[in-house]
Amino acid sequence: KAGVTQTPRYLIKTRGQQVTLSCSPISGHRSVSWYQQTPGQGLQFLFEYFSETQRNKGNFPGRFSGRQFSNSRSEMNVSTLELGDSALYLCASSLNRGYAEKLFFGSGTQLSVL
Amino acid sequence: TQLLEQSPQFLSIQEGENLTVYCNSSSVFSSLQWYRQEPGEGPVLLVTVVTGGEVKKLKRLTFQFGDARKDSSLHITAAQPGDTGLYLCAGSNAGNMLTFGGGTRLMVKP
């Protein structure tokens, strides 16, 4: 069974640009959540999608957005990139949503903003 | 805002030694998860604890959830170089929205 797939693996952008990251969950998983990992702030929750609906959102500006498609694949978008957006963006999927669900993480997309 | 504090931040030990990592919060969590992350990879779930006072064992790793569900610990017996990595605790109260601790970077020297 294939794991969580995130594309692209690496991305270099300049300030002011926008970027779209993609996440394909494990087959059959309906929940997808996104996290940002930086050396200074650690892992921080961005948002969670289930059945194409955003269920929870973290404390990030409106420049960060996402969506989930009917096949459970998800994308996140960051507009007007800032230097501080440089981070590893991780996607996690699970069968359902719940506080004890097993989350499976992808290898992430490493975004560098110059 | 719920926060999870992990200690220590860094740990460098010799193979065969024992160690304990702590995860503390002033908030109650419905569940507490422990992950291990290796460079260039996403975190991998080790265990989930949901009941106050719960103890779970995974080979040489022992996980404990505090009675009040505000803290947790990870104890590794006879550490091996393969245990090297970043250990993360994460608490959850709603859906798949996890609050992560800052992590403990463990290095086990042969």
Side-chain angles (χ1 to χ4, degrees), chain A residues 90-109:
Chain A
L90 292 159
C91 163
S93 77
S94 64
L95 268 173
N96 291 298
R97 54 187 310 268
Y99 61 79
E101 279 293 315
K102 287 185 181 180
L103 263 63
F104 296 84
F105 281 84
S107 298
T109 293

Side-chain angles (χ1 to χ4, degrees), chain B residues 18-66:
Chain B
N18 301 332
L19 67 115
T20 302
V21 177
Y22 299 94
C23 181
N24 295 298
S25 175
S26 57
S27 305
V28 174
F29 287 99
S30 298
S31 75
L32 204 295
Q33 298 183 332
W34 285 91
Y35 291 83
R36 188 173 95 183
Q37 185 177 21
E38 311 226 8
E41 299 297 328
V44 175
L45 179 66
L46 296 173
V47 78
T48 301
V49 285
V50 297
T51 306
E54 183 176 4
V55 176
K56 280 192 175 179
K57 292 192 175 183
L58 187 67
K59 296 183 181 177
R60 294 176 294 100
L61 278 60
T62 302
F63 305 86
Q64 187 161 6
F65 202 12

Side-chain angles (χ1 to χ4, degrees), chain A residues 54-65:
Chain A
Q54 188 179 88
R55 303 294 175 148
N56 282 302
K57 189 176 193 303
N59 190 24
F60 279 83
R63 299 184 296 106
F64 291 80
S65 63

